[in-house]
Amino acid sequence: MRKIYMDYSATTPLHPEVIALMTDVMKNVFGNPSSLHSFGREAKKYLDEARQKVADLIGAKFEEIYFTGGGTEADNIAVFGTAYAHRKKGKHIITSAVEHHAVLDSCAKLAKSGFEVTFLPVDQYGMVDPEQVKKEIRSDTILISIMHANNETGTIQPIEEISKIAKEHDVFFHTDCVQSVGKIPVNVDKLGADLITLSSHKIYGPKGVGALYKRKGVRVEPLFYGGGQERKIRSGTENTLGIIGFGKAAEIAVREFDIENTRVKGLRDRLIKGVLEKIPDVRLNGHPEKRLPNNAHFSFAYVEGESLLLSLDMKGIAVSSGSACSSSSLQPSHVLTASGLPQELVHGSVRFTLGRENTEEDVDYVLSVLPGIVERFRSFSPLVGRKTV
Amino acid sequence: MYNPTVMDHFENPRNVGEIPDADGIGEVGNLSCGDILKVYVKVVDGKLEDVKYQTFGCGAAVASGSMLTELAKGKTVEEAMKITNNDVAEALNGLPPQKRHCSNLAADALHKALEDWRSKQK
């Protein structure tokens, strides 16, 4: 059966060049980068190269990149680390209702332990209003954390405006760029962030490795203690192999940025146009223009998302859904709920995220099977006729 | 996640649709949990001559509705009232633990439909 992967925002396959480099390193480089002998020095050399490549990906300095065990860990260091390091200055944190759980739940935990957190609402596109950020800033606000692009809807936040506001009020600003990097420009000076979260496995690198960009002079408290690796920000022997793979993926992301994103956006636009034309009562979620070039996120009225996901899977098409039934927590998507989507449409949501291996034929195949699947479920949905999109 | 029996009923759900002149209709579930299941019954001489269902729900909801109609069809009203959600899940060779509560509500819908039928008998 034909297999089509359209869930690139969940994770990506390794780029062939990443596999080639990692295979070579796996065979030939095993030293601990902290060791002073030749084995250690060789590993350190590879580690440094990777750090430079990740720095280049976002226009940062070599020494501003701290490798972590993934995006979640970098988010946790950014949120807890900043809160703990600056608790004497204040206890107030501002974030949004649509953040990834790595930020959202970290903030919620802080709110239970003496900090105060403002969760900003969003508009119908899932967008944060910079003016509202400004209004919520207090004299004791120490951190603002707003993601660059949303992992579900792909909506891109006005980060430059928000970081400017943060700077004017002398508040640290963190932005999670896990979904945006490699797909839209991410430059530390343009974004103006003090802290940025990156992840390797969303850009065709290996899983279990990420990075925190920390602007020079910004102080965060470590969450792990031990050997003092990553300049004490993240103790623990470096995941050398993973980091080297991440470095290679970063290098490729820079090199292929224009050509790949233009190509994928073309496919994505073809998918959106086709779905809206071929299927009635469909809503495109997220911002119509200010969205990641690979993201198409729909709600199909009267139909439940997990059922759609399963049926697409039977046809070899891999997607994800914001329906409660498709999540292990059985909670419907907090992003779509915060964007004011009616419950029925939250449960009927499906995310297609495209990437390197997708072709025009893939999109056309999806367009050839999806209308029939939606139609079949609608034929026995008790909701048909009750509500409209 | 789902076993082959569940997948079979998901792919080829039995007895879907509505009975236009149904003798009883029962609906359970709500949109906040994401599953709604509606059962229609036709009762002739105290027996369920026809049972159909509609659902807005996940794979488990589709499959449990389908299995329920198979279990209920041909049964007397008394027998049908004894069918439990657990019976439906067992007939499906089991459902994933997280689906047992929210999506396994077909028998409840059937009981509601039969109560609806009963209330019309008076």
Side-chain angles (χ1 to χ4, degrees), chain A residues 48-69:
Chain A
D48 285 350
E49 270 175 30
R51 196 182 307 280
Q52 188 59 54
K53 283 171 183 169
V54 172
D56 290 345
L57 175 64
I58 59 170
K61 297 188 188 82
F62 176 87
E63 63 273 16
E64 291 174 320
I65 300 298
Y66 299 82
F67 288 113
T68 68

Tab-separated table of all heavy atoms in Angstrom, chain A residues 48-69:
chain	number	residue	atom	x	y	z
A	48	ASP	N	31.909	20.926	18.962
A	48	ASP	CA	32.069	22.356	18.664
A	48	ASP	C	31.524	22.705	17.278
A	48	ASP	O	30.888	23.738	17.093
A	48	ASP	CB	33.553	22.756	18.737
A	48	ASP	CG	34.038	22.858	20.181
A	48	ASP	OD1	33.187	22.802	21.089
A	48	ASP	OD2	35.263	22.982	20.389
A	49	GLU	N	31.808	21.801	16.321
A	49	GLU	CA	31.310	22.033	14.963
A	49	GLU	C	29.784	22.105	14.961
A	49	GLU	O	29.185	22.970	14.327
A	49	GLU	CB	31.746	20.897	14.046
A	49	GLU	CG	33.088	21.141	13.377
A	49	GLU	CD	33.533	19.912	12.564
A	49	GLU	OE1	32.654	19.166	12.049
A	49	GLU	OE2	34.749	19.706	12.482
A	50	ALA	N	29.182	21.171	15.673
A	50	ALA	CA	27.719	21.124	15.736
A	50	ALA	C	27.178	22.385	16.402
A	50	ALA	O	26.180	22.970	15.955
A	50	ALA	CB	27.260	19.891	16.511
A	51	ARG	N	27.848	22.824	17.452
A	51	ARG	CA	27.389	24.021	18.165
A	51	ARG	C	27.425	25.235	17.225
A	51	ARG	O	26.507	26.053	17.210
A	51	ARG	CB	28.257	24.283	19.398
A	51	ARG	CG	27.620	25.257	20.401
A	51	ARG	CD	28.514	25.546	21.595
A	51	ARG	NE	28.992	24.354	22.267
A	51	ARG	CZ	28.286	23.643	23.143
A	51	ARG	NH1	27.079	24.021	23.470
A	51	ARG	NH2	28.787	22.552	23.706
A	52	GLN	N	28.479	25.322	16.427
A	52	GLN	CA	28.590	26.443	15.492
A	52	GLN	C	27.469	26.388	14.455
A	52	GLN	O	26.885	27.414	14.095
A	52	GLN	CB	29.962	26.424	14.811
A	52	GLN	CG	30.231	27.672	13.962
A	52	GLN	CD	30.156	28.959	14.787
A	52	GLN	OE1	30.835	29.092	15.805
A	52	GLN	NE2	29.300	29.890	14.374
A	53	LYS	N	27.168	25.170	13.987
A	53	LYS	CA	26.120	25.036	12.959
A	53	LYS	C	24.746	25.398	13.506
A	53	LYS	O	23.942	26.025	12.819
A	53	LYS	CB	26.117	23.609	12.406
A	53	LYS	CG	27.261	23.396	11.420
A	53	LYS	CD	27.406	21.956	11.039
A	53	LYS	CE	28.617	21.806	10.103
A	53	LYS	NZ	28.981	20.403	9.908
A	54	VAL	N	24.477	25.001	14.736
A	54	VAL	CA	23.182	25.348	15.340
A	54	VAL	C	23.134	26.860	15.592
A	54	VAL	O	22.104	27.503	15.376
A	54	VAL	CB	22.940	24.538	16.637
A	54	VAL	CG1	21.698	25.043	17.363
A	54	VAL	CG2	22.789	23.052	16.310
A	55	ALA	N	24.273	27.436	16.001
A	55	ALA	CA	24.332	28.891	16.201
A	55	ALA	C	24.059	29.604	14.873
A	55	ALA	O	23.278	30.558	14.811
A	55	ALA	CB	25.696	29.291	16.760
A	56	ASP	N	24.678	29.105	13.799
A	56	ASP	CA	24.495	29.721	12.478
A	56	ASP	C	23.036	29.644	12.013
A	56	ASP	O	22.561	30.526	11.298
A	56	ASP	CB	25.377	29.025	11.433
A	56	ASP	CG	26.864	29.330	11.652
A	56	ASP	OD1	27.169	30.285	12.414
A	56	ASP	OD2	27.707	28.610	11.087
A	57	LEU	N	22.367	28.580	12.411
A	57	LEU	CA	20.967	28.396	11.999
A	57	LEU	C	20.094	29.564	12.456
A	57	LEU	O	19.136	29.943	11.777
A	57	LEU	CB	20.439	27.073	12.579
A	57	LEU	CG	18.968	26.708	12.382
A	57	LEU	CD1	18.641	26.507	10.908
A	57	LEU	CD2	18.620	25.439	13.169
A	58	ILE	N	20.425	30.151	13.606
A	58	ILE	CA	19.573	31.219	14.142
A	58	ILE	C	20.336	32.541	14.320
A	58	ILE	O	19.850	33.448	14.996
A	58	ILE	CB	18.917	30.792	15.489
A	58	ILE	CG1	19.990	30.441	16.538
A	58	ILE	CG2	17.974	29.626	15.280
A	58	ILE	CD1	19.420	30.239	17.938
A	59	GLY	N	21.503	32.632	13.721
A	59	GLY	CA	22.267	33.877	13.807
A	59	GLY	C	22.766	34.185	15.208
A	59	GLY	O	22.891	35.347	15.597
A	60	ALA	N	23.074	33.121	15.970
A	60	ALA	CA	23.546	33.305	17.345
A	60	ALA	C	25.062	33.143	17.401
A	60	ALA	O	25.696	32.767	16.417
A	60	ALA	CB	22.885	32.274	18.261
A	61	LYS	N	25.623	33.434	18.552
A	61	LYS	CA	27.045	33.200	18.765
A	61	LYS	C	27.233	31.786	19.291
A	61	LYS	O	26.369	31.240	19.988
A	61	LYS	CB	27.605	34.201	19.777
A	61	LYS	CG	27.532	35.638	19.315
A	61	LYS	CD	28.289	36.546	20.284
A	61	LYS	CE	28.066	38.004	19.966
A	61	LYS	NZ	26.774	38.505	20.532
A	62	PHE	N	28.401	31.238	18.958
A	62	PHE	CA	28.770	29.886	19.380
A	62	PHE	C	28.464	29.648	20.861
A	62	PHE	O	27.857	28.649	21.238
A	62	PHE	CB	30.275	29.717	19.100
A	62	PHE	CG	30.876	28.435	19.552
A	62	PHE	CD1	30.852	27.315	18.730
A	62	PHE	CD2	31.484	28.334	20.793
A	62	PHE	CE1	31.436	26.125	19.140
A	62	PHE	CE2	32.062	27.145	21.215
A	62	PHE	CZ	32.032	26.042	20.388
A	63	GLU	N	28.869	30.588	21.691
A	63	GLU	CA	28.770	30.372	23.138
A	63	GLU	C	27.360	30.643	23.686
A	63	GLU	O	27.130	30.534	24.889
A	63	GLU	CB	29.810	31.221	23.884
A	63	GLU	CG	29.645	32.726	23.727
A	63	GLU	CD	30.344	33.294	22.493
A	63	GLU	OE1	30.713	32.502	21.577
A	63	GLU	OE2	30.505	34.522	22.416
A	64	GLU	N	26.434	30.967	22.803
A	64	GLU	CA	25.059	31.199	23.268
A	64	GLU	C	24.170	29.959	23.103
A	64	GLU	O	22.978	29.997	23.411
A	64	GLU	CB	24.440	32.379	22.506
A	64	GLU	CG	25.096	33.712	22.878
A	64	GLU	CD	24.594	34.881	22.037
A	64	GLU	OE1	24.396	34.711	20.810
A	64	GLU	OE2	24.410	35.969	22.586
A	65	ILE	N	24.751	28.878	22.574
A	65	ILE	CA	23.987	27.642	22.352
A	65	ILE	C	24.302	26.625	23.444
A	65	ILE	O	25.457	26.298	23.689
A	65	ILE	CB	24.330	27.020	20.965
A	65	ILE	CG1	23.990	28.007	19.839
A	65	ILE	CG2	23.605	25.685	20.762
A	65	ILE	CD1	22.525	28.385	19.716
A	66	TYR	N	23.249	26.127	24.088
A	66	TYR	CA	23.387	25.111	25.143
A	66	TYR	C	22.587	23.896	24.716
A	66	TYR	O	21.364	23.982	24.562
A	66	TYR	CB	22.847	25.655	26.470
A	66	TYR	CG	23.594	26.883	26.951
A	66	TYR	CD1	23.299	28.145	26.452
A	66	TYR	CD2	24.618	26.768	27.882
A	66	TYR	CE1	23.991	29.264	26.866
A	66	TYR	CE2	25.321	27.882	28.313
A	66	TYR	CZ	25.010	29.134	27.795
A	66	TYR	OH	25.707	30.226	28.221
A	67	PHE	N	23.268	22.778	24.526
A	67	PHE	CA	22.538	21.582	24.097
A	67	PHE	C	21.782	20.961	25.275
A	67	PHE	O	22.258	20.974	26.414
A	67	PHE	CB	23.499	20.564	23.479
A	67	PHE	CG	23.983	21.002	22.122
A	67	PHE	CD1	25.316	21.327	21.917
A	67	PHE	CD2	23.094	21.115	21.059
A	67	PHE	CE1	25.766	21.751	20.671
A	67	PHE	CE2	23.531	21.542	19.805
A	67	PHE	CZ	24.871	21.867	19.616
A	68	THR	N	20.609	20.451	24.956
A	68	THR	CA	19.735	19.838	25.964
A	68	THR	C	19.230	18.495	25.440
A	68	THR	O	19.536	18.123	24.305
A	68	THR	CB	18.496	20.715	26.244
A	68	THR	OG1	17.665	20.714	25.070
A	68	THR	CG2	18.885	22.152	26.589
A	69	GLY	N	18.463	17.834	26.268
A	69	GLY	CA	17.877	16.558	25.869
A	69	GLY	C	16.585	16.727	25.069
A	69	GLY	O	15.750	15.839	25.061
